[in-house]
Amino acid sequence: MRLKTKIILICSLVVLFVSAICSMAAFYTMRAGYLDTAMGQEVQRAADCFSYIEDRIVNLQLDRGKIDRNVMEYIIKDTAVKAGVGNLACFYINHTGEETAVYNDTIFESQDLEQADYQNVSDHLEQTKIKRGKQYFGVYRSQNSSYSEYQIYMLADITYVQNRINLIGLGLVVLILFITVLSYVVLSAMMNKVLSPLQELNASAKQIACGNYNQRIMVKQRDEIGELSDNFNQMAEAVEIRTHSLEESEKRKTLFMGNLTHELKTPLTAISGYAKTLLTVKLPQEDKEEALSFIYEESCRLERLSKKMMNLLLLEEDGEIVRKQISAKELFSSVQAVCSGKLKEADMEIECHESGQMFLVDRDLFVEVLVNLIDNAIKVSSQGNRVLLTAGEHSITVQDFGKGIPEEEQEKILEPFYMIDKSRSRKSGGAGLGLAITVMILKKHDCRLKIESTVGKGTRMILQFV
Ligand code: ADP
C-alpha cells in the first residue's frame, strides 16, 4: 500500500473513531434528556387522571369497596376523554385475584402489565416501559385503597419519542459518514500537495538509476522534505562527479593500455623481424651490423619506455613525497649538470635567471621535471638556440625558441603517449610520457603547468606553485 493511502486511511479512521465517540456521547445525553422530559409529562398527566377519578368517585358518592363495573367503565372513559389520554386500562380484580378488563382501548393484556418492570415515581405512582408493537409508557397506581377491586393503568404511546431518537441517531450516523468522507477528500488533496516533492524525488531517483546523473529536484519547501530534496541533490551531484571521474579514468586507462600496447608492439615487431633475418638469411657484414645496431637501439628504447612506465606507476601508487627548501640556484645547477651533454650535442646553451628564490620541493623529482622540459625544448629547437630557465617568486619558467605548440594540442600533449609528431619524437627517443610524468610530479607539489606557446616562435612552460 502506498504511503499516501496509508496516511489518509489512518487519519480517516481516527476521524471516524473520534466523531463516532463524540456522536455517541451526544446521542445518549440527548436521548436521556428527551425521554426524561416526555416521561415527566406523562407522569404528570397520569397523576391528573388519577385525581380526576378520585374526584368523580367522591362526587358520585360511590361505595369505594363496591363500584359497579359499568359505572367504573363510565368514569374511566370520561377521564380518558377529559384528560385526552385514550389509553387507560382498568381491570376488575375478583376475590380470587383474577383480573378481567373493565375498560381497555389498547391491545394490552393484564399479563403485559403484570410483567412490566415498575419503578417508583411518587408515593402512589410507579412507571414502566412496555413494548407491544409500539413503545408505551405506563404509570400504575400502586397503593389503591379507594377502589381496591380495580387496578388502573395510564398508558401513553411514546413511539414518537423513540422514532425521533432513532431519527437523531440516523442523522448522527450520516453526519459521521459525511465528516469521514469529507476528511478523506480534504486529506487526499493535502497529501497530494505535501507528498508531491516525494513523488518528484522518486522520479528523479529512477532517472538517476537509469544513468541520467544530471537529474535535480526544485526545492520548494523549507521542511524535512525540502531538506531531503536538498540532500538528494547533493548526493546526485556527488554521484555525477564521481561517475564522471570514473568514466574519465576508465577512458584514460583504456587509451593508456592501447597506447602502451602499440608502443611495445612496434619495437618488438622490428626486433623479432631483424633477429629472424639474421638467423635465416646470410647477410653481408655491413647489413648484419646495421640489423644488430637497430636491434640494440630498439631494445634501448624499450628499456627507456619501461623505466618511464615504472616511474609513472610508482608516482601513481606511492602518494608521499619528501619536500625540502632548496634554492633556485642549487636546483638550476643540478639541472644544468644533467643536461650539459645533450645541450652540447645540440649546440645549445641554457641561460639561468634567479635571484635567491627558495622552493619547497622534492629535489630529485623536481630536477626530473626540469630535465624533462629542457629535454623537450632541445628536441624542438634548432641548433644554436637558447633555453631560458627563470625563477619567479612562486614560479619557474622554461622557455625555448623552437617550433611552438598549436593551441589545440596544448592540452593533449599532457596525456600519456601523446606525441605531436610521432615519428620524429620516437626518433629522438620519446614515447610521449615525459609531460604526463611531469604533470603527475607537479600535482604532488601542488603546482600546475601553464603552457604559453606561439607556433614558429617558441614555448614558455610555466610551473606555478599554488
Ligand atoms: P616525449 O617524452 O616523447 O618527449 P612528452 O610528453 O614530453 O613526450 O611530450 C609530448 C609531445 O609534446 C612531444 O612529442 C612534442 O611533440 C610535444 N612538445 C613537448 N614540449 C614541447 C615544446 N617545448 N615545444 C613544442 N612541442 C613540445
Side-chain angles (χ1 to χ4, degrees), residues 24 38 50 52 97 118 123 133 167 186 189 200 225 232-233 241 250 269 273 279 284 314 330 333 415 430 449 455:
M24 266 161 74
F50 291 130
Y52 185 76
Y118 292 99
D123 270 358
L167 209 64
V186 172
E200 230 180 282
I225 294 180
F232 178 89
N233 282 345
I241 292 171
E250 192 58 37
T269 314
L279 282 171
L314 283 174
E330 212 182 325
S333 59
E415 295 290 330
L449 175 67
V455 176

Side-chain angles (χ1 to χ4, degrees), residues 308 376 379-380 400 405 413 418-420 425 430-432 434-435 459:
K308 284 188 178 175
N376 282 343
K379 282 181 208 164
V380 297
D400 65 63
I405 310 161
I413 57 170
Y418 191 86
M419 292 169 264
I420 296 176
S425 290
L435 285 177
T459 303

